[in-house]
């Protein structure tokens, strides 16, 4: 949930969607994202739409937020009509959702269930900072219907956590995984960040080994992105920290894939590994494979049937709109078929399932042949009619996608 909003067409105050979006509603998987825009402190690298003050005005403070979010769930039902729309996945992200009482998260989830119905076996995830939960809190989440949890571990090395402004001890994330398992969470993810200034190859190996030893069934590993306007960007500009190096990041990716594969984790998206298909994040797969989702919360981006819209950014403006019975949507865009195809290629090519050759635009065929020759796409999959990235292709995925979509 990046903190800057794009431009777009005006969104109607009713939240009403164009006919094209509602056509064939229910034929694609449907999910909910719930943004919780609060953190205790802001990490220097983070650009997400999050606030450290507990009091942000009526409806937007910690104590009121669940009711405001529930108002948007009820608006979603009015906008989407009475169509049978069982929810496949729900994902609470942030910010730090677990800064709110577990009962508040459970109430928002219950409202989604009441309005739409959760499909049996629905995946219900929350993100959590490792230091923000304890066994009692995790038990309450489980009782409230959550079955997956994603902890921001980032690193197991104290000096790396310090550069990232993280406040948990190096061992806290592993302990949190253990507590989540004890509470009955079937699915647990650890987020890691690599190529932080000051991190060595050995530090990164140690972080991966600590993550693997904790026994999650899913690991996400992201290269540190230096976002404009963050404290990290300012420190790099002042020369206090070196800029992360692309070659170092590529080496770290190779180390990640090697250690994770050895430990039984297979990649299924360029930055995501799981111990089995059941461990893959179904919510993210819904994003990446053209599903529909309603995103609740300030600054959140929704997508239904080729229409995308995004809410006003500040929690106070968001709450004010909902209190007045007005949609919090700030702007929207209706994607042209050609844009949807480009997006589809950009997302699906990053998945292990790849992208069908039959759907490649005629103008891109030469670039595809070149990519196979350069070892960026799997030969066998190519012969079987799909583009699937090789390990080298995963390292160069962004450049390849640029090549294919020019
Ligand atoms: C926005 S956070 C929310 C989760 C939770 N607040 C936490 O930090 O543990 C989701 C994940 O995004 C990743 N992330 C955020 N900013 C990033 C950046 N600038 N570069 C790379 N990864 C980033 C981190 O791994 C983080 O765990
Ligand atoms: S705790 Fe998570 S969401 Fe909050 S500032 Fe840090 S990385 Fe961003």
């Amino acid at each position: 949930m990046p903190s800057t909003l794009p431009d777009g067409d005006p969104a109607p105050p009713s939240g009403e969607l164009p006919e094209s979006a509602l056509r064939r509603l229910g034929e694609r998987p449907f999910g909910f994202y719930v943004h919780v825009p609060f953190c205790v402190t802001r990490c220097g690298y983070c650009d997400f739409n999050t606030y450290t003050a507990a009091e942000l005005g009526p409806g937007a403070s910690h104590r009121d937020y669940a009711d405001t979010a529930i108002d948007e769930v009820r608006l979603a039902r009015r906008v989407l009509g009475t169509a049978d729309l069982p929810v496949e996945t729900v994902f609470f992200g942030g910010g730090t959702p677990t800064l709110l009482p577990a009962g508040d998260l459970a109430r928002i989830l219950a409202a989604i269930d009441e309005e739409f119905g959760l499909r049996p076996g629905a995946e219900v995830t929350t993100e959590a900072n490792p230091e923000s939960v304890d066994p009692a809190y995790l038990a309450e989440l489980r009782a409230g219907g959550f079955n997956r949890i994603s902890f921001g571990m980032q690193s197991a090395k104290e000096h790396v956590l310090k550069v990232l402004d993280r406040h948990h001890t190096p061992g806290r994330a592993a302990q949190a995984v253990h507590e989540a398992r004890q509470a009955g969470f079937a699915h647990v993810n650890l987020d890691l960040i690599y190529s932080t200034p000051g991190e060595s190859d050995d530090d990164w190996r140690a972080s991966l080994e600590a993550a693997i030893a904790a026994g999650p069934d899913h690991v996400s590993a992201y290269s540190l992105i230096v976002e404009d306007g963050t404290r990290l960007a300012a420190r790099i500009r002042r020369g206090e920290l070196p800029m992360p190096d692309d070659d170092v990041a590529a080496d770290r990716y190779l180390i990640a894939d090697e250690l994770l594969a050895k430990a039984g984790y297979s990649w299924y998206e360029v930055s995501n590994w799981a111990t089995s298909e059941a461990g893959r994040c179904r919510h993210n797969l819904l994003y990446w494979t053209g599903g529909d989702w309603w995103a609740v919360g300030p600054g959140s981006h929704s997508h239904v049937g080729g229409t995308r819209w995004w809410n006003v950014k500040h929690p106070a403006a968001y709450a004010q709109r909902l209190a007045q019975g007005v949609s919090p949507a700030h702007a929207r865009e209706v994607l042209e078929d050609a844009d949807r195809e480009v997006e589809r290629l950009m997302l699906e090519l990053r998945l292990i399932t790849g992208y069908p050759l039959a759907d490649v635009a005629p103008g891109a065929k030469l670039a595809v042949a070149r990519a196979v020759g350069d070892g960026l796409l799997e030969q066998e999959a190519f012969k079987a009619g799909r583009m699937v990235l090789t390990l080298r292709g995963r390292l160069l995925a962004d450049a390849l996608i640029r090549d294919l979509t020019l």
Side-chain angles (χ1 to χ4, degrees):
M1 198 57 42
S3 66
T4 45
L5 292 179
D7 297 329
D9 302 324
S14 63
E16 191 187 346
L17 292 173
E19 205 276 319
S20 62
L22 299 176
R23 212 181 296 144
R24 300 174 54 212
L25 193 62
E27 288 181 21
R28 298 167 297 264
F30 178 60
F32 261 90
Y33 172 77
V34 180
H35 188 63
V36 180
F38 309 119
C39 288
V40 175
T41 56
R42 181 183 277 279
C43 310
Y45 58 91
C46 181
D47 181 36
F48 283 58
N49 189 28
T50 187
Y51 302 81
T52 52
E55 300 291 332
L56 287 168
S61 299
H62 288 195
R63 69 178 164 278
D64 307 331
Y65 187 74
D67 289 319
T68 303
I70 289 170
D71 282 346
E72 191 181 352
V73 172
R74 309 239 187 266
L75 170 83
R77 183 75 269 192
R78 291 196 297 279
V79 168
L80 297 174
T82 53
D84 187 25
L85 213 47
V87 178
E88 307 274 349
T89 63
V90 185
F91 193 102
F92 285 65
T96 307
T98 43
L99 252 191
L100 296 185
D104 281 7
L105 304 187
R107 271 199 310 123
I108 301 171
L109 178 62
I112 293 171
D113 191 22
E114 204 177 293
E115 293 292 345
F116 293 88
L118 292 175
R119 202 185 271 291
E123 177 191 271
V124 183
T125 306
T126 186
E127 289 184 332
N129 289 34
E131 72 280 18
S132 68
V133 296
D134 62 20
Y137 188 99
L138 292 164
E140 227 185 306
L141 281 181
R142 277 293 296 131
F146 288 79
N147 50 31
R148 187 172 184 275
I149 190 157
S150 170
F151 292 112
M153 171 175 175
Q154 323 309 359
S155 172
K157 300 303 284 189
E158 195 156 9
H159 72 100
V160 177
L161 290 173
K162 192 154 182 273
V163 172
L164 294 173
D165 297 323
R166 301 292 294 187
H167 294 289
H168 42 92
T169 56
R172 177 57 207 153
Q175 179 65 23
V177 173
H178 174 69
E179 291 171 3
R181 293 296 199 194
Q182 294 284 101
F185 279 87
H187 301 296
V188 183
N189 170 57
L190 288 175
D191 278 345
L192 294 173
I193 290 182
Y194 56 89
S195 68
T196 298
E199 182 192 58
S200 66
D201 282 357
D202 282 347
D203 291 335
W204 176 231
R205 275 199 192 88
S207 293
L208 286 159
E209 279 159 7
I212 290 165
D217 64 337
H218 191 288
V219 173
S220 302
Y222 305 112
S223 173
L224 180 66
I225 298 170
V226 180
E227 303 281 4
D228 284 347
T230 57
R231 205 163 49 243
L232 175 69
R235 292 181 71 189
I236 290 173
R237 207 173 41 248
R238 287 197 299 266
E240 286 171 32
L241 294 170
M243 183 73 176
D245 180 271
D246 285 349
D247 291 337
V248 169
D251 287 345
R252 300 272 155 86
Y253 184 88
L254 294 175
I255 293 172
D257 193 65
E258 185 196 332
L259 294 195
L260 288 167
K262 248 190 225 154
Y265 295 80
S266 310
W267 79 282
Y268 70 98
E269 195 274 346
V270 171
S271 304
N272 291 279
W273 290 258
T275 50
S276 69
E277 272 198 40
R280 295 178 181 177
C281 177
R282 285 160 53 195
H283 186 79
N284 284 337
L285 284 167
L286 180 147
Y287 288 160
W288 297 327
T289 55
D292 289 337
W293 68 92
W294 190 291
V296 168
S300 296
H301 287 52
S302 301
H303 169 266
V304 174
T307 295
R308 245 197 322 234
W309 71 96
W310 42 97
N311 287 346
V312 289
K313 190 180 146 193
H314 198 279
Y318 167 76
Q320 199 178 19
R321 295 255 197 133
L322 282 161
Q324 291 165 350
V326 172
S327 158
H330 169 70
R332 75 180 188 192
E333 63 185 350
V334 179
L335 296 169
E336 304 285 339
D337 285 350
D339 296 335
R340 289 176 81 172
E341 263 320 298
V342 169
E343 285 211 356
R344 187 183 144 221
L345 179 122
M346 288 168 66
L347 295 169
E348 290 187 11
L349 191 58
R350 295 173 63 89
L351 298 174
I352 186 132
T353 41
Y355 186 84
L357 276 174
D359 295 351
V360 172
K365 300 266 190 221
L366 206 62
V368 174
R370 211 169 36 232
V372 177
D374 290 346
L376 304 181
L377 293 173
E378 296 280 2
Q379 295 267 8
E380 288 307 307
F382 181 74
K383 283 184 208 147
R386 294 196 81 77
M387 293 198 288
V388 175
L389 296 171
T390 57
L391 179 55
R392 186 173 143 72
R394 281 188 267 153
L395 286 175
L396 299 170
D398 292 342
L400 173 60
I401 287 166
R402 266 196 306 276
D403 232 25
L404 294 176
T405 53
L406 275 181

